[in-house]
Amino acid sequence: MALPNVNVTLQDFALGLVEPADHNQAIVGTAASGTANSVVAISDLKTLKSTFGSGPLVEAAAHALVISGGPVYCVKVAATNNGSNTSVTRTGTGPDPGVTVSGNPLDDYNVIVKIITGGARSTATFKISFDGGDTYSEEYVSAASVATWASETGLTLAFAVGTYVAADTYTFTSTGPTYSSSDLATALDNLNASAYAFEFVHIVGTVGGADDATKVTNFVALATAVDTKLTAWATSYRYAFGILQVPNVADAALNVSGVTGFASARQMWVAGDVELISAVTSRKIRRNASLCVAARLALVDLQRSPACPEDGTLPGIVSLYRDERTTEALDTLRITTLRTFDNATSGFYVTNGRMMATAGSDYSFVQNRRVMDRAATVARQALIPYINKDFRVNADTGYIDELEAVAIEARVGRLLETDLVATGRASSAQAQVKRDDNILSTQTLNVRVRIVPKAYARFIDLDIGFENPALAAAS
């Protein structure tokens, strides 16, 4: 039995301190408050909570701020479909039904109401957990209506008249609001119209469905719509990729033609849930692994694979609901997952930074996508000053003068070298001006840029055995 004592719990994250991010991300999702489709740059937890309240957007942004820094560019997406609650299940001998729930949940919750002190309504006390019993609130008195958490969760409890019994529990689950493809399209359009520069957009949440097959069908339709947006962005020189959350369905439900036939060099699909320590409430929450993948990508440099164990375990994770190592199925479908290693290495890691590109694509892995997007941005910026610039041409051929071509190559190559090669993001970079363009007639200058990327050892073959130096010398 423990001795009487003063127990101390030290709290963290109250100051909302955030480091500057190396690679900015945009985050789109539902939230309790804030203006829909407005792009807000958030650099601290206090502003995040005061602007958006609670919900999936807030949890994702808070995790990003704490792990990889800020600012993050947040967009609240309008939610066409309200959340829902299941019926309440009593375990025990007290009133049934005793506790009922009302309101539209703002997020996914696994709620347990636990009676602490038995007695009539207004005398009985209880604690509430929103994470399936991992953490509980302080003790409250039962009442006809308890709306203590309504602003945070959207939920209000009602206790019926009756005699409640200590240790009885009342449980239910809540599903947060979902958005439609058109809701998301509007949010993405506003994000693209903003002046903010970001490397990728993390789309939090997904569309629903009555069963696994419907959820997957709806998700593929959503991803197709997103790909249209991302492709249009690239056409207008906003180079960004999207991180999408695969619905929580059985692995077999994803091995269908809609998924295997889908291709996008600008999308990363992330599957599998994790139990995560919330940066907002410090409660344990269940979330798609994309929160962890996005935070790792924002933390490491462009050429770095998010699946490199040298960078350490993904922070904030308590456990995995799905481990690709023990349930290998989705990596071959080009879906990014999380894994553990065996007892040689503890912690939780990205399996591979997969992109949904077609087999054999240069952009099968996210690090190549990131490096090329950066290279395209730098090369274009280097060449913009030459638009409508006067060039000397060779009097005999009419082609660009050699000294002019060399000067252009030197400028573009120097900027690429500084940004990509000197920083370790690429092995080499080279620019070459086409020497036989009839610029006088076509008014077009062709420049060829080639990047040699870094190499990655996804497999390591280890040859190990004993050796006897005496026998080796004798032979």
Side-chain angles (χ1 to χ4, degrees):
M1 181 178 292
L3 297 177
N5 208 338
V6 175
N7 298 312
V8 178
T9 300
L10 298 180
Q11 301 295 333
D12 200 354
F13 304 120
L15 298 179
L17 301 177
V18 172
E19 295 293 325
D22 292 324
H23 307 285
N24 296 118
Q25 62 173 298
I27 305 177
V28 178
T30 61
S33 55
T35 303
N37 303 315
S38 177
V39 185
V40 184
I42 301 290
S43 297
D44 64 273
L45 296 176
K46 181 179 180 181
T47 302
L48 173 66
K49 290 186 280 189
S50 65
T51 304
F52 295 106
S54 61
L57 171 65
V58 175
E59 291 290 354
H63 187 77
L65 288 171
V66 169
I67 301 302
S68 52
V72 292
Y73 303 114
C74 297
V75 186
K76 175 186 175 180
V77 61
T80 297
N81 309 306
N82 288 329
S84 60
N85 304 302
T86 65
S87 58
V88 179
T89 299
R90 182 209 62 185
T91 301
T93 59
D96 186 17
V99 177
T100 56
V101 59
S102 61
N104 296 319
L106 300 173
D107 207 336
D108 295 343
Y109 307 111
N110 186 0
V111 182
I112 301 177
V113 178
K114 185 176 183 179
I115 304 301
I116 304 302
T117 302
R121 187 179 75 181
S122 301
T123 299
T125 64
F126 70 97
K127 291 184 178 182
I128 187 169
S129 171
F130 293 96
D131 54 22
D134 287 328
T135 57
Y136 278 91
S137 68
E138 61 183 282
E139 199 168 342
Y140 295 97
V141 177
S142 59
S145 178
V146 183
T148 306
W149 324 273
S151 61
E152 176 189 349
T153 66
L155 303 177
T156 296
L157 298 182
F159 285 78
V161 173
T163 302
Y164 291 86
V165 178
D168 279 7
T169 59
Y170 296 84
T171 63
F172 63 93
T173 58
S174 301
T175 301
T178 58
Y179 47 77
S180 66
S181 294
S182 60
D183 293 331
L184 181 59
T186 300
L188 292 177
D189 286 342
N190 283 29
L191 179 61
N192 183 43
S194 74
Y196 295 120
F198 51 89
E199 188 187 326
F200 59 91
V201 53
H202 179 194
I203 298 172
V204 181
T206 186
V207 290
D211 51 37
D212 281 5
T214 306
K215 289 177 183 177
V216 172
T217 299
N218 292 344
F219 173 73
V220 172
L222 180 76
T224 301
V226 170
D227 200 55
T228 299
K229 296 295 183 185
L230 296 175
T231 301
W233 288 8
T235 302
S236 58
Y237 313 112
R238 183 187 280 281
Y239 302 110
F241 63 94
I243 299 178
L244 278 68
Q245 297 183 353
V246 175
N248 187 22
V249 298
D251 289 355
L254 292 165
N255 193 10
V256 294
S257 59
V259 173
T260 58
F262 182 88
S264 172
R266 290 201 169 274
Q267 285 191 37
M268 169 186 273
W269 291 7
V270 182
D273 286 358
V274 301
E275 188 172 51
L276 197 66
I277 299 297
S278 168
V280 179
T281 65
S282 297
R283 292 197 299 255
K284 294 178 183 178
I285 56 175
R286 181 169 180 164
R287 285 293 184 272
N288 181 275
S290 62
L291 273 69
C292 307
V293 176
R296 176 54 57 93
L297 286 172
L299 186 63
V300 300
D301 207 0
L302 308 177
Q303 81 289 349
R304 193 73 166 175
S305 168
C308 183
E310 186 180 40
D311 292 322
T313 183
L314 296 168
I317 298 178
V318 178
S319 62
L320 303 183
Y321 286 93
R322 187 193 179 284
D323 186 344
E324 185 72 19
R325 179 178 70 88
T326 58
T327 313
E328 187 175 347
L330 301 185
D331 187 66
T332 57
L333 297 179
R334 300 165 294 146
I335 297 174
T336 297
T337 57
L338 300 192
R339 62 166 297 176
T340 59
F341 284 90
D342 50 36
N343 55 11
T345 303
S346 61
F348 310 102
Y349 303 88
V350 178
T351 306
N352 281 301
R354 295 277 189 186
M355 299 292 287
M356 291 299 293
T358 55
S361 168
D362 291 343
Y363 309 109
S364 295
F365 297 96
V366 68
Q367 56 268 27
N368 279 2
R369 172 79 279 161
R370 302 177 76 192
V371 169
M372 183 53 69
D373 284 352
R374 182 62 183 171
T377 299
V378 172
R380 182 170 182 269
Q381 290 172 345
L383 288 167
I384 282 178
Y386 293 105
I387 295 174
N388 279 325
K389 186 179 184 301
D390 52 296
F391 297 111
R392 291 189 303 274
V393 296
N394 185 288
D396 296 324
T397 65
Y399 301 150
I400 189 170
D401 183 82
E402 180 64 18
L403 292 179
E404 296 273 23
V406 169
I408 295 171
E409 291 170 344
R411 170 182 165 79
V412 178
R414 182 174 65 254
L415 293 176
L416 289 169
E417 172 79 21
T418 299
D419 194 277
L420 297 178
V421 183
T423 57
R425 292 170 171 172
S427 298
S428 69
Q430 184 183 48
Q432 184 178 35
V433 174
K434 196 168 184 292
R435 298 301 202 272
D436 57 354
D437 281 333
N438 180 9
I439 304 178
L440 290 172
S441 297
T442 66
Q443 300 180 344
T444 300
L445 178 69
N446 287 288
V447 181
R448 181 178 184 268
V449 171
R450 290 294 182 267
I451 311 297
V452 178
K454 305 290 282 290
Y456 303 88
R458 292 182 51 232
F459 306 97
I460 299 176
D461 294 332
L462 172 63
D463 184 337
I464 187 170
F466 291 114
E467 182 178 72
N468 186 334
L471 294 178
S475 63

